[in-house]
Amino acid sequence: MTRPSPALPASLALALLLGLAPATGAPAATTATRTSAVASLVTEAERSGFQRTGRYAEVLALCDAFAARYPQAVRCIEFGTTPEGRPMKALVASRSGALTPGAARSRGLPVLLVQGGIHAGEVDGKDAGFLALRELLAGEAAPGALDDVVLVFVPVFNADGHERFGRWNRPNQRGPEEMGWRTTAQNYNLNRDYVKADAPEMRAMLGLVQAWDPIAYVDLHATNGAQFEHDISVQIEPLHSGDAGLARAGLALREALLAGLTEQGSLPLPFYPSFEVHDDPSSGIVDGVAPPRFSHGYFALRNRFGILVETHSWKEYPVRVRITRNLVVGMLEQTARHGRDWLAAAAAADARAATLAGTTVPLEWVATDRVRTVDFRGYAWTRTPSEVSGTLATRYDETTPQLWKMPLRDEIVPGRRVPVPGAGYLVPPAHAAAAARWLDLHGIGYRRLAHALPAASLEVFRASEWRPAAASSEGRQRLELEGDWAPETRDVAAGALFVPVGQPRARLAMAILEPQAPDSMLAWGEFNNAFERKEYMEAYVAEDVARDMLRDPAVRAAFERRLAEDAAFAASASARLEWFHRRHASWDERLGLYPVFRTAVTPP
């Protein structure tokens, strides 16, 4: 849905300020107009005064047009194909002459990757990115910055979703008139897919990232949520999480970006403005660190900066595009100024990550209960009973700005922590192909064992309980479990994978292979079969087995103690018989055994 603008004259004034055509009554472009506009590198958004946005064909045409206009500074590259057959395009821009990954590396230039349209209804990044790029190349913005930076700009990550065009695709957003859809043609939410990489688009993006190794990855969005005056939020990791040296640089970068946005008239926030209790501003806001299924959580584990940018969806589209443009230009300026220092810091972080063995690292981060009160620029609001929903409904009055005293929990500390194995992980041959797919996508090193490891001293994880999710998520059934690592001797066959922790992406390897990590292979259901019981003992057989086992005084005492202490167990015939089956030699010892092991010794 395209919400009506409450202040169209402001949009018109901004459009005129940008030197654009008036928004009101702007006619649809003819073929000749479009051809001329592409030649002048002007988008449909600009021609319409930011009332409309162009279709994906415009992205393809502009990609070629920028490269044709600036052959020494821009390349239009294709890095994948969507399930519906659309080419995935990126523009590489630099005045340095380094327009390939190898050239950027050899010159020691920082690479900045800016991505729009991962949620293709939140299309601000596409139009803002093209506007910023044109100004950068013309020397109208950040003069000289492209001499010291390689910019990789992906206008629309989710190209198939972009072409699911409609007026009602974003009911919580003002403009443009029509926009794309949140998910892909296969209904994947790409900003939940960075680790598991089920979507072909994500696998293509990870290939692009592997090739260019950007020091910073900027993911451009528009929010959902409440109505207030703040117009953009910027979150960066590492800052709360990840390598300590990079976190210090991340904090400095965030403060510089926020200061620049403030100087240009924005009201930026350093946290995502979502209430702890949905639709209730009085409940406050809880900051945090996103798990690596999200872009900014993922890049921290690669020892690179992940930056989530969210313009406020209730601001008019021309306002959102201008603010996003300011952010992109500001980020390029910061990269030109500090990018080589960031590269050095990232190299040091890579070296430190390769020495994590024997330490303890967090698998997740949480906000403490410490609350502070901050000033938050909102509007007058009420929560009153609704005859529609039958519950309290929130209503905002945008004509009455109001300073909220917002409860904020933003003290972030490690949550679940685990020791890093002494040498690495072993994945048995039965699961090697599945693990290799994940590891290859993320550039994590491993090798296959040429010889078996008989009676190897390992750590294994046996689950004491496990809980499959009641509903699917992103086409998978997630799994949670309780348990712990413990020493055990097991045979490991030739063909197993050894994944060393002595490598720069050790944290990312652990995020994938630690069973209790929030986006691990196990968490996303890759090993659910290991937690499904497939063999049984008939009840009449179990009766005889139980009577035979009860001849052992220790077994009888343990059974009687369980009966006395657990009424539910005592009342369940199946639970009582299973108690004996679990102690019998026929019980499947692999049930609940996580099929990835840890080793303190590097295998030969």
Side-chain angles (χ1 to χ4, degrees), residues 18 71 105 120 122 254 301 359 370 377 381 412 439 556 563 601:
L18 294 172
R105 277 192 292 273
E122 305 164 26
R254 187 189 70 181
L301 299 180
T359 67
R370 177 179 172 271
R377 297 273 293 270
W381 59 281
I412 312 300
L439 300 170
R556 177 175 289 278
L563 290 173
V601 179

PDB file of all heavy atoms in Angstrom, residues 18 71 105 120 122 254 301 359 370 377 381 412 439 556 563 601:
ATOM      1  N   LEU A  18      16.471  19.267  -5.226  1.00  0.00           N
ATOM      2  CA  LEU A  18      17.371  18.342  -5.902  1.00  0.00           C
ATOM      3  C   LEU A  18      17.479  18.635  -7.396  1.00  0.00           C
ATOM      4  O   LEU A  18      18.196  17.945  -8.114  1.00  0.00           O
ATOM      5  CB  LEU A  18      16.877  16.900  -5.706  1.00  0.00           C
ATOM      6  CG  LEU A  18      16.913  16.372  -4.273  1.00  0.00           C
ATOM      7  CD1 LEU A  18      16.225  15.023  -4.199  1.00  0.00           C
ATOM      8  CD2 LEU A  18      18.338  16.259  -3.789  1.00  0.00           C
ATOM      9  N   PRO A  71      33.897   4.760 -18.724  1.00  0.00           N
ATOM     10  CA  PRO A  71      34.565   3.467 -18.976  1.00  0.00           C
ATOM     11  C   PRO A  71      35.841   3.256 -18.161  1.00  0.00           C
ATOM     12  O   PRO A  71      36.240   2.109 -17.925  1.00  0.00           O
ATOM     13  CB  PRO A  71      34.862   3.517 -20.474  1.00  0.00           C
ATOM     14  CG  PRO A  71      34.858   4.972 -20.822  1.00  0.00           C
ATOM     15  CD  PRO A  71      33.847   5.598 -19.924  1.00  0.00           C
ATOM     16  N   ARG A 105      43.081  -5.738  -4.443  1.00  0.00           N
ATOM     17  CA  ARG A 105      43.971  -6.347  -3.437  1.00  0.00           C
ATOM     18  C   ARG A 105      45.415  -5.921  -3.648  1.00  0.00           C
ATOM     19  O   ARG A 105      46.125  -5.588  -2.693  1.00  0.00           O
ATOM     20  CB  ARG A 105      43.841  -7.872  -3.479  1.00  0.00           C
ATOM     21  CG  ARG A 105      42.664  -8.409  -2.689  1.00  0.00           C
ATOM     22  CD  ARG A 105      42.750  -9.917  -2.533  1.00  0.00           C
ATOM     23  NE  ARG A 105      42.566 -10.590  -3.812  1.00  0.00           N
ATOM     24  CZ  ARG A 105      41.373 -10.923  -4.318  1.00  0.00           C
ATOM     25  NH1 ARG A 105      40.268 -10.612  -3.671  1.00  0.00           N
ATOM     26  NH2 ARG A 105      41.281 -11.553  -5.470  1.00  0.00           N
ATOM     27  N   ALA A 120      12.666  -6.111  -1.390  1.00  0.00           N
ATOM     28  CA  ALA A 120      12.521  -5.287  -2.593  1.00  0.00           C
ATOM     29  C   ALA A 120      11.381  -4.286  -2.519  1.00  0.00           C
ATOM     30  O   ALA A 120      11.244  -3.457  -3.416  1.00  0.00           O
ATOM     31  CB  ALA A 120      12.353  -6.190  -3.818  1.00  0.00           C
ATOM     32  N   GLU A 122      11.392  -2.290   0.120  1.00  0.00           N
ATOM     33  CA  GLU A 122      12.166  -1.234   0.791  1.00  0.00           C
ATOM     34  C   GLU A 122      13.241  -0.769  -0.188  1.00  0.00           C
ATOM     35  O   GLU A 122      14.411  -1.120  -0.070  1.00  0.00           O
ATOM     36  CB  GLU A 122      12.777  -1.789   2.076  1.00  0.00           C
ATOM     37  CG  GLU A 122      11.750  -2.399   3.018  1.00  0.00           C
ATOM     38  CD  GLU A 122      12.375  -3.272   4.094  1.00  0.00           C
ATOM     39  OE1 GLU A 122      13.560  -3.040   4.432  1.00  0.00           O
ATOM     40  OE2 GLU A 122      11.686  -4.179   4.588  1.00  0.00           O
ATOM     41  N   ARG A 254      30.487   4.380  13.639  1.00  0.00           N
ATOM     42  CA  ARG A 254      29.083   4.693  13.886  1.00  0.00           C
ATOM     43  C   ARG A 254      28.908   6.139  14.344  1.00  0.00           C
ATOM     44  O   ARG A 254      28.023   6.857  13.860  1.00  0.00           O
ATOM     45  CB  ARG A 254      28.500   3.750  14.943  1.00  0.00           C
ATOM     46  CG  ARG A 254      26.989   3.914  15.123  1.00  0.00           C
ATOM     47  CD  ARG A 254      26.477   3.149  16.313  1.00  0.00           C
ATOM     48  NE  ARG A 254      26.916   3.746  17.580  1.00  0.00           N
ATOM     49  CZ  ARG A 254      26.613   3.255  18.781  1.00  0.00           C
ATOM     50  NH1 ARG A 254      25.905   2.139  18.878  1.00  0.00           N
ATOM     51  NH2 ARG A 254      27.033   3.859  19.885  1.00  0.00           N
ATOM     52  N   LEU A 301      31.394 -11.886  12.033  1.00  0.00           N
ATOM     53  CA  LEU A 301      32.079 -13.165  12.182  1.00  0.00           C
ATOM     54  C   LEU A 301      33.158 -13.375  11.123  1.00  0.00           C
ATOM     55  O   LEU A 301      34.002 -14.263  11.261  1.00  0.00           O
ATOM     56  CB  LEU A 301      31.067 -14.308  12.132  1.00  0.00           C
ATOM     57  CG  LEU A 301      30.003 -14.292  13.237  1.00  0.00           C
ATOM     58  CD1 LEU A 301      29.059 -15.479  13.077  1.00  0.00           C
ATOM     59  CD2 LEU A 301      30.650 -14.316  14.615  1.00  0.00           C
ATOM     60  N   THR A 359      40.510 -20.725  24.165  1.00  0.00           N
ATOM     61  CA  THR A 359      39.801 -19.632  24.820  1.00  0.00           C
ATOM     62  C   THR A 359      38.302 -19.938  24.835  1.00  0.00           C
ATOM     63  O   THR A 359      37.859 -20.981  24.366  1.00  0.00           O
ATOM     64  CB  THR A 359      40.055 -18.298  24.101  1.00  0.00           C
ATOM     65  OG1 THR A 359      39.460 -18.345  22.795  1.00  0.00           O
ATOM     66  CG2 THR A 359      41.545 -18.023  23.971  1.00  0.00           C
ATOM     67  N   ARG A 370      19.673  -3.853  32.807  1.00  0.00           N
ATOM     68  CA  ARG A 370      19.949  -2.448  33.134  1.00  0.00           C
ATOM     69  C   ARG A 370      19.195  -1.535  32.171  1.00  0.00           C
ATOM     70  O   ARG A 370      19.329  -1.652  30.947  1.00  0.00           O
ATOM     71  CB  ARG A 370      21.446  -2.178  33.044  1.00  0.00           C
ATOM     72  CG  ARG A 370      21.852  -0.737  33.286  1.00  0.00           C
ATOM     73  CD  ARG A 370      23.369  -0.589  33.195  1.00  0.00           C
ATOM     74  NE  ARG A 370      23.779   0.802  33.234  1.00  0.00           N
ATOM     75  CZ  ARG A 370      23.898   1.572  32.151  1.00  0.00           C
ATOM     76  NH1 ARG A 370      23.634   1.068  30.952  1.00  0.00           N
ATOM     77  NH2 ARG A 370      24.286   2.835  32.254  1.00  0.00           N
ATOM     78  N   ARG A 377      12.241  11.240  20.068  1.00  0.00           N
ATOM     79  CA  ARG A 377      11.355  12.180  19.391  1.00  0.00           C
ATOM     80  C   ARG A 377      10.165  11.431  18.778  1.00  0.00           C
ATOM     81  O   ARG A 377      10.250  10.888  17.680  1.00  0.00           O
ATOM     82  CB  ARG A 377      12.134  12.931  18.309  1.00  0.00           C
ATOM     83  CG  ARG A 377      13.270  13.792  18.844  1.00  0.00           C
ATOM     84  CD  ARG A 377      12.806  15.168  19.241  1.00  0.00           C
ATOM     85  NE  ARG A 377      12.374  15.928  18.094  1.00  0.00           N
ATOM     86  CZ  ARG A 377      13.179  16.716  17.346  1.00  0.00           C
ATOM     87  NH1 ARG A 377      14.472  16.821  17.659  1.00  0.00           N
ATOM     88  NH2 ARG A 377      12.699  17.376  16.324  1.00  0.00           N
ATOM     89  N   TRP A 381       0.368   9.857  21.470  1.00  0.00           N
ATOM     90  CA  TRP A 381      -0.220   8.555  21.138  1.00  0.00           C
ATOM     91  C   TRP A 381      -1.176   8.119  22.235  1.00  0.00           C
ATOM     92  O   TRP A 381      -1.127   8.592  23.370  1.00  0.00           O
ATOM     93  CB  TRP A 381       0.880   7.490  20.957  1.00  0.00           C
ATOM     94  CG  TRP A 381       1.752   7.278  22.165  1.00  0.00           C
ATOM     95  CD1 TRP A 381       2.795   8.050  22.573  1.00  0.00           C
ATOM     96  CD2 TRP A 381       1.626   6.234  23.133  1.00  0.00           C
ATOM     97  NE1 TRP A 381       3.347   7.568  23.721  1.00  0.00           N
ATOM     98  CE2 TRP A 381       2.651   6.446  24.094  1.00  0.00           C
ATOM     99  CE3 TRP A 381       0.778   5.149  23.282  1.00  0.00           C
ATOM    100  CZ2 TRP A 381       2.835   5.602  25.186  1.00  0.00           C
ATOM    101  CZ3 TRP A 381       0.947   4.307  24.364  1.00  0.00           C
ATOM    102  CH2 TRP A 381       1.973   4.534  25.307  1.00  0.00           C
ATOM    103  N   ILE A 412      25.068  -4.503  26.369  1.00  0.00           N
ATOM    104  CA  ILE A 412      25.127  -5.782  25.659  1.00  0.00           C
ATOM    105  C   ILE A 412      26.289  -6.607  26.195  1.00  0.00           C
ATOM    106  O   ILE A 412      27.426  -6.126  26.267  1.00  0.00           O
ATOM    107  CB  ILE A 412      25.298  -5.571  24.147  1.00  0.00           C
ATOM    108  CG1 ILE A 412      24.290  -4.537  23.634  1.00  0.00           C
ATOM    109  CG2 ILE A 412      25.165  -6.889  23.409  1.00  0.00           C
ATOM    110  CD1 ILE A 412      22.853  -4.898  23.851  1.00  0.00           C
ATOM    111  N   LEU A 439      30.599 -24.878   4.388  1.00  0.00           N
ATOM    112  CA  LEU A 439      31.951 -24.347   4.564  1.00  0.00           C
ATOM    113  C   LEU A 439      32.468 -23.688   3.288  1.00  0.00           C
ATOM    114  O   LEU A 439      33.093 -22.616   3.337  1.00  0.00           O
ATOM    115  CB  LEU A 439      32.886 -25.465   5.006  1.00  0.00           C
ATOM    116  CG  LEU A 439      32.525 -26.155   6.335  1.00  0.00           C
ATOM    117  CD1 LEU A 439      33.389 -27.394   6.540  1.00  0.00           C
ATOM    118  CD2 LEU A 439      32.667 -25.191   7.508  1.00  0.00           C
ATOM    119  N   ARG A 556      17.179 -52.309  40.267  1.00  0.00           N
ATOM    120  CA  ARG A 556      15.888 -52.262  40.974  1.00  0.00           C
ATOM    121  C   ARG A 556      15.817 -51.009  41.861  1.00  0.00           C
ATOM    122  O   ARG A 556      14.796 -50.316  41.897  1.00  0.00           O
ATOM    123  CB  ARG A 556      15.696 -53.524  41.806  1.00  0.00           C
ATOM    124  CG  ARG A 556      14.390 -53.524  42.628  1.00  0.00           C
ATOM    125  CD  ARG A 556      14.193 -54.838  43.346  1.00  0.00           C
ATOM    126  NE  ARG A 556      13.876 -55.917  42.425  1.00  0.00           N
ATOM    127  CZ  ARG A 556      12.656 -56.161  41.945  1.00  0.00           C
ATOM    128  NH1 ARG A 556      11.636 -55.367  42.298  1.00  0.00           N
ATOM    129  NH2 ARG A 556      12.450 -57.161  41.126  1.00  0.00           N
ATOM    130  N   LEU A 563      10.404 -44.167  40.424  1.00  0.00           N
ATOM    131  CA  LEU A 563       8.956 -44.272  40.641  1.00  0.00           C
ATOM    132  C   LEU A 563       8.511 -43.370  41.787  1.00  0.00           C
ATOM    133  O   LEU A 563       7.463 -42.705  41.710  1.00  0.00           O
ATOM    134  CB  LEU A 563       8.565 -45.714  40.937  1.00  0.00           C
ATOM    135  CG  LEU A 563       8.650 -46.715  39.775  1.00  0.00           C
ATOM    136  CD1 LEU A 563       8.388 -48.126  40.290  1.00  0.00           C
ATOM    137  CD2 LEU A 563       7.658 -46.369  38.681  1.00  0.00           C
ATOM    138  N   VAL A 601      43.481 -32.390  19.064  1.00  0.00           N
ATOM    139  CA  VAL A 601      44.722 -32.734  18.368  1.00  0.00           C
ATOM    140  C   VAL A 601      44.473 -32.692  16.864  1.00  0.00           C
ATOM    141  O   VAL A 601      43.470 -33.228  16.375  1.00  0.00           O
ATOM    142  CB  VAL A 601      45.195 -34.147  18.773  1.00  0.00           C
ATOM    143  CG1 VAL A 601      46.464 -34.517  18.022  1.00  0.00           C
ATOM    144  CG2 VAL A 601      45.424 -34.218  20.284  1.00  0.00           C
TER     145      VAL A 601
END
